[in-house]
mmCIF file with all atom_site columns, all heavy atoms in Angstrom:
data_model
loop_
_atom_site.group_PDB
_atom_site.id
_atom_site.type_symbol
_atom_site.label_atom_id
_atom_site.label_alt_id
_atom_site.label_comp_id
_atom_site.label_asym_id
_atom_site.label_entity_id
_atom_site.label_seq_id
_atom_site.pdbx_PDB_ins_code
_atom_site.Cartn_x
_atom_site.Cartn_y
_atom_site.Cartn_z
_atom_site.occupancy
_atom_site.B_iso_or_equiv
_atom_site.pdbx_formal_charge
_atom_site.auth_seq_id
_atom_site.auth_comp_id
_atom_site.auth_asym_id
_atom_site.auth_atom_id
_atom_site.pdbx_PDB_model_num
ATOM 1   N N     . HIS A 1 74  ? -113.892 232.833 48.217 1.00 0.00 ? 318  HIS A N     1
ATOM 2   C CA    . HIS A 1 74  ? -113.590 233.869 49.192 1.00 0.00 ? 318  HIS A CA    1
ATOM 3   C C     . HIS A 1 74  ? -114.232 233.571 50.539 1.00 0.00 ? 318  HIS A C     1
ATOM 4   O O     . HIS A 1 74  ? -113.762 234.034 51.573 1.00 0.00 ? 318  HIS A O     1
ATOM 5   C CB    . HIS A 1 74  ? -114.066 235.230 48.692 1.00 0.00 ? 318  HIS A CB    1
ATOM 6   C CG    . HIS A 1 74  ? -113.253 235.745 47.546 1.00 0.00 ? 318  HIS A CG    1
ATOM 7   N ND1   . HIS A 1 74  ? -113.533 236.921 46.891 1.00 0.00 ? 318  HIS A ND1   1
ATOM 8   C CD2   . HIS A 1 74  ? -112.155 235.229 46.942 1.00 0.00 ? 318  HIS A CD2   1
ATOM 9   C CE1   . HIS A 1 74  ? -112.642 237.117 45.930 1.00 0.00 ? 318  HIS A CE1   1
ATOM 10  N NE2   . HIS A 1 74  ? -111.808 236.101 45.928 1.00 0.00 ? 318  HIS A NE2   1
ATOM 11  N N     . MET A 1 104 ? -115.820 242.989 40.755 1.00 0.00 ? 348  MET A N     1
ATOM 12  C CA    . MET A 1 104 ? -116.449 241.773 40.233 1.00 0.00 ? 348  MET A CA    1
ATOM 13  C C     . MET A 1 104 ? -117.775 241.563 40.916 1.00 0.00 ? 348  MET A C     1
ATOM 14  O O     . MET A 1 104 ? -117.935 241.835 42.102 1.00 0.00 ? 348  MET A O     1
ATOM 15  C CB    . MET A 1 104 ? -115.580 240.567 40.504 1.00 0.00 ? 348  MET A CB    1
ATOM 16  C CG    . MET A 1 104 ? -114.174 240.871 40.176 1.00 0.00 ? 348  MET A CG    1
ATOM 17  S SD    . MET A 1 104 ? -113.419 239.659 39.194 1.00 0.00 ? 348  MET A SD    1
ATOM 18  C CE    . MET A 1 104 ? -111.915 240.558 38.914 1.00 0.00 ? 348  MET A CE    1
ATOM 19  N N     . ASN A 1 106 ? -120.749 239.026 42.044 1.00 0.00 ? 350  ASN A N     1
ATOM 20  C CA    . ASN A 1 106 ? -121.194 237.671 42.363 1.00 0.00 ? 350  ASN A CA    1
ATOM 21  C C     . ASN A 1 106 ? -122.632 237.729 42.837 1.00 0.00 ? 350  ASN A C     1
ATOM 22  O O     . ASN A 1 106 ? -123.077 238.743 43.361 1.00 0.00 ? 350  ASN A O     1
ATOM 23  C CB    . ASN A 1 106 ? -120.395 237.074 43.530 1.00 0.00 ? 350  ASN A CB    1
ATOM 24  C CG    . ASN A 1 106 ? -118.947 236.783 43.196 1.00 0.00 ? 350  ASN A CG    1
ATOM 25  O OD1   . ASN A 1 106 ? -118.527 235.642 43.193 1.00 0.00 ? 350  ASN A OD1   1
ATOM 26  N ND2   . ASN A 1 106 ? -118.167 237.812 42.922 1.00 0.00 ? 350  ASN A ND2   1
ATOM 27  N N     . ARG A 1 150 ? -114.806 243.465 33.182 1.00 0.00 ? 394  ARG A N     1
ATOM 28  C CA    . ARG A 1 150 ? -115.538 244.236 32.179 1.00 0.00 ? 394  ARG A CA    1
ATOM 29  C C     . ARG A 1 150 ? -117.019 244.256 32.471 1.00 0.00 ? 394  ARG A C     1
ATOM 30  O O     . ARG A 1 150 ? -117.704 245.257 32.234 1.00 0.00 ? 394  ARG A O     1
ATOM 31  C CB    . ARG A 1 150 ? -115.292 243.635 30.799 1.00 0.00 ? 394  ARG A CB    1
ATOM 32  C CG    . ARG A 1 150 ? -113.866 243.798 30.313 1.00 0.00 ? 394  ARG A CG    1
ATOM 33  C CD    . ARG A 1 150 ? -113.605 242.842 29.168 1.00 0.00 ? 394  ARG A CD    1
ATOM 34  N NE    . ARG A 1 150 ? -112.335 243.097 28.510 1.00 0.00 ? 394  ARG A NE    1
ATOM 35  C CZ    . ARG A 1 150 ? -111.814 242.275 27.613 1.00 0.00 ? 394  ARG A CZ    1
ATOM 36  N NH1   . ARG A 1 150 ? -112.447 241.176 27.282 1.00 0.00 ? 394  ARG A NH1   1
ATOM 37  N NH2   . ARG A 1 150 ? -110.655 242.562 27.052 1.00 0.00 ? 394  ARG A NH2   1
ATOM 38  P P     . DC  C 2 4   ? -103.217 233.295 45.374 1.00 0.00 ? 1413 DC  C P     1
ATOM 39  O OP1   . DC  C 2 4   ? -104.656 233.152 45.754 1.00 0.00 ? 1413 DC  C OP1   1
ATOM 40  O OP2   . DC  C 2 4   ? -102.394 232.100 45.230 1.00 0.00 ? 1413 DC  C OP2   1
ATOM 41  O "O5'" . DC  C 2 4   ? -103.104 234.092 43.975 1.00 0.00 ? 1413 DC  C "O5'" 1
ATOM 42  C "C5'" . DC  C 2 4   ? -104.254 234.511 43.228 1.00 0.00 ? 1413 DC  C "C5'" 1
ATOM 43  C "C4'" . DC  C 2 4   ? -105.056 235.522 43.960 1.00 0.00 ? 1413 DC  C "C4'" 1
ATOM 44  O "O4'" . DC  C 2 4   ? -104.201 236.616 44.394 1.00 0.00 ? 1413 DC  C "O4'" 1
ATOM 45  C "C3'" . DC  C 2 4   ? -106.159 236.131 43.115 1.00 0.00 ? 1413 DC  C "C3'" 1
ATOM 46  O "O3'" . DC  C 2 4   ? -107.361 236.036 43.851 1.00 0.00 ? 1413 DC  C "O3'" 1
ATOM 47  C "C2'" . DC  C 2 4   ? -105.723 237.585 42.902 1.00 0.00 ? 1413 DC  C "C2'" 1
ATOM 48  C "C1'" . DC  C 2 4   ? -104.843 237.849 44.100 1.00 0.00 ? 1413 DC  C "C1'" 1
ATOM 49  N N1    . DC  C 2 4   ? -103.774 238.873 43.810 1.00 0.00 ? 1413 DC  C N1    1
ATOM 50  C C2    . DC  C 2 4   ? -103.964 240.192 44.210 1.00 0.00 ? 1413 DC  C C2    1
ATOM 51  O O2    . DC  C 2 4   ? -105.026 240.513 44.755 1.00 0.00 ? 1413 DC  C O2    1
ATOM 52  N N3    . DC  C 2 4   ? -102.991 241.087 43.958 1.00 0.00 ? 1413 DC  C N3    1
ATOM 53  C C4    . DC  C 2 4   ? -101.851 240.706 43.364 1.00 0.00 ? 1413 DC  C C4    1
ATOM 54  N N4    . DC  C 2 4   ? -100.919 241.613 43.141 1.00 0.00 ? 1413 DC  C N4    1
ATOM 55  C C5    . DC  C 2 4   ? -101.654 239.365 42.953 1.00 0.00 ? 1413 DC  C C5    1
ATOM 56  C C6    . DC  C 2 4   ? -102.622 238.483 43.186 1.00 0.00 ? 1413 DC  C C6    1
ATOM 57  P P     . DA  C 2 5   ? -108.486 235.179 43.844 1.00 0.00 ? 1414 DA  C P     1
ATOM 58  O OP1   . DA  C 2 5   ? -109.382 235.811 44.786 1.00 0.00 ? 1414 DA  C OP1   1
ATOM 59  O OP2   . DA  C 2 5   ? -107.955 233.795 44.085 1.00 0.00 ? 1414 DA  C OP2   1
ATOM 60  O "O5'" . DA  C 2 5   ? -109.276 235.173 42.445 1.00 0.00 ? 1414 DA  C "O5'" 1
ATOM 61  C "C5'" . DA  C 2 5   ? -108.805 234.470 41.307 1.00 0.00 ? 1414 DA  C "C5'" 1
ATOM 62  C "C4'" . DA  C 2 5   ? -109.862 234.576 40.200 1.00 0.00 ? 1414 DA  C "C4'" 1
ATOM 63  O "O4'" . DA  C 2 5   ? -111.065 233.947 40.672 1.00 0.00 ? 1414 DA  C "O4'" 1
ATOM 64  C "C3'" . DA  C 2 5   ? -110.278 235.998 39.840 1.00 0.00 ? 1414 DA  C "C3'" 1
ATOM 65  O "O3'" . DA  C 2 5   ? -110.818 236.018 38.523 1.00 0.00 ? 1414 DA  C "O3'" 1
ATOM 66  C "C2'" . DA  C 2 5   ? -111.387 236.288 40.858 1.00 0.00 ? 1414 DA  C "C2'" 1
ATOM 67  C "C1'" . DA  C 2 5   ? -112.080 234.934 40.877 1.00 0.00 ? 1414 DA  C "C1'" 1
ATOM 68  N N9    . DA  C 2 5   ? -112.697 234.640 42.162 1.00 0.00 ? 1414 DA  C N9    1
ATOM 69  C C8    . DA  C 2 5   ? -112.112 234.132 43.276 1.00 0.00 ? 1414 DA  C C8    1
ATOM 70  N N7    . DA  C 2 5   ? -112.940 233.959 44.276 1.00 0.00 ? 1414 DA  C N7    1
ATOM 71  C C5    . DA  C 2 5   ? -114.159 234.387 43.770 1.00 0.00 ? 1414 DA  C C5    1
ATOM 72  C C6    . DA  C 2 5   ? -115.433 234.467 44.341 1.00 0.00 ? 1414 DA  C C6    1
ATOM 73  N N6    . DA  C 2 5   ? -115.721 234.092 45.569 1.00 0.00 ? 1414 DA  C N6    1
ATOM 74  N N1    . DA  C 2 5   ? -116.424 234.954 43.569 1.00 0.00 ? 1414 DA  C N1    1
ATOM 75  C C2    . DA  C 2 5   ? -116.151 235.324 42.325 1.00 0.00 ? 1414 DA  C C2    1
ATOM 76  N N3    . DA  C 2 5   ? -114.990 235.297 41.683 1.00 0.00 ? 1414 DA  C N3    1
ATOM 77  C C4    . DA  C 2 5   ? -114.026 234.805 42.468 1.00 0.00 ? 1414 DA  C C4    1
ATOM 78  P P     . DT  C 2 6   ? -109.813 236.403 37.315 1.00 0.00 ? 1415 DT  C P     1
ATOM 79  O OP1   . DT  C 2 6   ? -110.551 236.249 36.073 1.00 0.00 ? 1415 DT  C OP1   1
ATOM 80  O OP2   . DT  C 2 6   ? -108.562 235.673 37.551 1.00 0.00 ? 1415 DT  C OP2   1
ATOM 81  O "O5'" . DT  C 2 6   ? -109.539 237.961 37.506 1.00 0.00 ? 1415 DT  C "O5'" 1
ATOM 82  C "C5'" . DT  C 2 6   ? -110.582 238.926 37.362 1.00 0.00 ? 1415 DT  C "C5'" 1
ATOM 83  C "C4'" . DT  C 2 6   ? -110.120 240.089 36.524 1.00 0.00 ? 1415 DT  C "C4'" 1
ATOM 84  O "O4'" . DT  C 2 6   ? -108.767 240.415 36.885 1.00 0.00 ? 1415 DT  C "O4'" 1
ATOM 85  C "C3'" . DT  C 2 6   ? -110.100 239.807 35.023 1.00 0.00 ? 1415 DT  C "C3'" 1
ATOM 86  O "O3'" . DT  C 2 6   ? -110.986 240.711 34.387 1.00 0.00 ? 1415 DT  C "O3'" 1
ATOM 87  C "C2'" . DT  C 2 6   ? -108.668 240.021 34.592 1.00 0.00 ? 1415 DT  C "C2'" 1
ATOM 88  C "C1'" . DT  C 2 6   ? -108.076 240.843 35.724 1.00 0.00 ? 1415 DT  C "C1'" 1
ATOM 89  N N1    . DT  C 2 6   ? -106.644 240.602 35.923 1.00 0.00 ? 1415 DT  C N1    1
ATOM 90  C C2    . DT  C 2 6   ? -105.798 241.686 35.888 1.00 0.00 ? 1415 DT  C C2    1
ATOM 91  O O2    . DT  C 2 6   ? -106.183 242.813 35.679 1.00 0.00 ? 1415 DT  C O2    1
ATOM 92  N N3    . DT  C 2 6   ? -104.485 241.386 36.093 1.00 0.00 ? 1415 DT  C N3    1
ATOM 93  C C4    . DT  C 2 6   ? -103.929 240.150 36.331 1.00 0.00 ? 1415 DT  C C4    1
ATOM 94  O O4    . DT  C 2 6   ? -102.737 240.018 36.503 1.00 0.00 ? 1415 DT  C O4    1
ATOM 95  C C5    . DT  C 2 6   ? -104.861 239.054 36.358 1.00 0.00 ? 1415 DT  C C5    1
ATOM 96  C C7    . DT  C 2 6   ? -104.375 237.655 36.608 1.00 0.00 ? 1415 DT  C C7    1
ATOM 97  C C6    . DT  C 2 6   ? -106.154 239.328 36.165 1.00 0.00 ? 1415 DT  C C6    1
ATOM 98  P P     . DC  C 2 7   ? -111.231 240.700 32.804 1.00 0.00 ? 1416 DC  C P     1
ATOM 99  O OP1   . DC  C 2 7   ? -112.606 241.127 32.561 1.00 0.00 ? 1416 DC  C OP1   1
ATOM 100 O OP2   . DC  C 2 7   ? -110.748 239.438 32.257 1.00 0.00 ? 1416 DC  C OP2   1
ATOM 101 O "O5'" . DC  C 2 7   ? -110.290 241.881 32.302 1.00 0.00 ? 1416 DC  C "O5'" 1
ATOM 102 C "C5'" . DC  C 2 7   ? -110.342 243.118 32.997 1.00 0.00 ? 1416 DC  C "C5'" 1
ATOM 103 C "C4'" . DC  C 2 7   ? -109.399 244.113 32.358 1.00 0.00 ? 1416 DC  C "C4'" 1
ATOM 104 O "O4'" . DC  C 2 7   ? -108.056 243.850 32.796 1.00 0.00 ? 1416 DC  C "O4'" 1
ATOM 105 C "C3'" . DC  C 2 7   ? -109.397 244.066 30.831 1.00 0.00 ? 1416 DC  C "C3'" 1
ATOM 106 O "O3'" . DC  C 2 7   ? -109.395 245.382 30.328 1.00 0.00 ? 1416 DC  C "O3'" 1
ATOM 107 C "C2'" . DC  C 2 7   ? -108.095 243.340 30.507 1.00 0.00 ? 1416 DC  C "C2'" 1
ATOM 108 C "C1'" . DC  C 2 7   ? -107.202 243.728 31.677 1.00 0.00 ? 1416 DC  C "C1'" 1
ATOM 109 N N1    . DC  C 2 7   ? -106.187 242.708 32.020 1.00 0.00 ? 1416 DC  C N1    1
ATOM 110 C C2    . DC  C 2 7   ? -104.904 243.120 32.393 1.00 0.00 ? 1416 DC  C C2    1
ATOM 111 O O2    . DC  C 2 7   ? -104.662 244.321 32.422 1.00 0.00 ? 1416 DC  C O2    1
ATOM 112 N N3    . DC  C 2 7   ? -103.989 242.193 32.699 1.00 0.00 ? 1416 DC  C N3    1
ATOM 113 C C4    . DC  C 2 7   ? -104.300 240.889 32.663 1.00 0.00 ? 1416 DC  C C4    1
ATOM 114 N N4    . DC  C 2 7   ? -103.367 240.005 32.983 1.00 0.00 ? 1416 DC  C N4    1
ATOM 115 C C5    . DC  C 2 7   ? -105.608 240.448 32.291 1.00 0.00 ? 1416 DC  C C5    1
ATOM 116 C C6    . DC  C 2 7   ? -106.512 241.388 31.974 1.00 0.00 ? 1416 DC  C C6    1
ATOM 117 P P     . DA  C 2 8   ? -109.822 245.693 28.833 1.00 0.00 ? 1417 DA  C P     1
ATOM 118 O OP1   . DA  C 2 8   ? -110.951 246.622 28.910 1.00 0.00 ? 1417 DA  C OP1   1
ATOM 119 O OP2   . DA  C 2 8   ? -109.913 244.439 28.069 1.00 0.00 ? 1417 DA  C OP2   1
ATOM 120 O "O5'" . DA  C 2 8   ? -108.551 246.492 28.276 1.00 0.00 ? 1417 DA  C "O5'" 1
ATOM 121 C "C5'" . DA  C 2 8   ? -108.012 247.548 29.060 1.00 0.00 ? 1417 DA  C "C5'" 1
ATOM 122 C "C4'" . DA  C 2 8   ? -106.601 247.836 28.600 1.00 0.00 ? 1417 DA  C "C4'" 1
ATOM 123 O "O4'" . DA  C 2 8   ? -105.713 246.772 29.017 1.00 0.00 ? 1417 DA  C "O4'" 1
ATOM 124 C "C3'" . DA  C 2 8   ? -106.461 247.949 27.075 1.00 0.00 ? 1417 DA  C "C3'" 1
ATOM 125 O "O3'" . DA  C 2 8   ? -105.633 249.069 26.806 1.00 0.00 ? 1417 DA  C "O3'" 1
ATOM 126 C "C2'" . DA  C 2 8   ? -105.816 246.627 26.675 1.00 0.00 ? 1417 DA  C "C2'" 1
ATOM 127 C "C1'" . DA  C 2 8   ? -105.009 246.240 27.909 1.00 0.00 ? 1417 DA  C "C1'" 1
ATOM 128 N N9    . DA  C 2 8   ? -104.908 244.801 28.132 1.00 0.00 ? 1417 DA  C N9    1
ATOM 129 C C8    . DA  C 2 8   ? -105.853 243.841 27.872 1.00 0.00 ? 1417 DA  C C8    1
ATOM 130 N N7    . DA  C 2 8   ? -105.473 242.628 28.194 1.00 0.00 ? 1417 DA  C N7    1
ATOM 131 C C5    . DA  C 2 8   ? -104.195 242.803 28.706 1.00 0.00 ? 1417 DA  C C5    1
ATOM 132 C C6    . DA  C 2 8   ? -103.246 241.900 29.225 1.00 0.00 ? 1417 DA  C C6    1
ATOM 133 N N6    . DA  C 2 8   ? -103.455 240.587 29.309 1.00 0.00 ? 1417 DA  C N6    1
ATOM 134 N N1    . DA  C 2 8   ? -102.069 242.407 29.643 1.00 0.00 ? 1417 DA  C N1    1
ATOM 135 C C2    . DA  C 2 8   ? -101.864 243.724 29.555 1.00 0.00 ? 1417 DA  C C2    1
ATOM 136 N N3    . DA  C 2 8   ? -102.677 244.675 29.094 1.00 0.00 ? 1417 DA  C N3    1
ATOM 137 C C4    . DA  C 2 8   ? -103.834 244.140 28.676 1.00 0.00 ? 1417 DA  C C4    1
#
Side-chain angles (χ1 to χ4, degrees):
Chain A
H318 290 177
M348 315 229 173
N350 291 245
R394 292 163 170 170

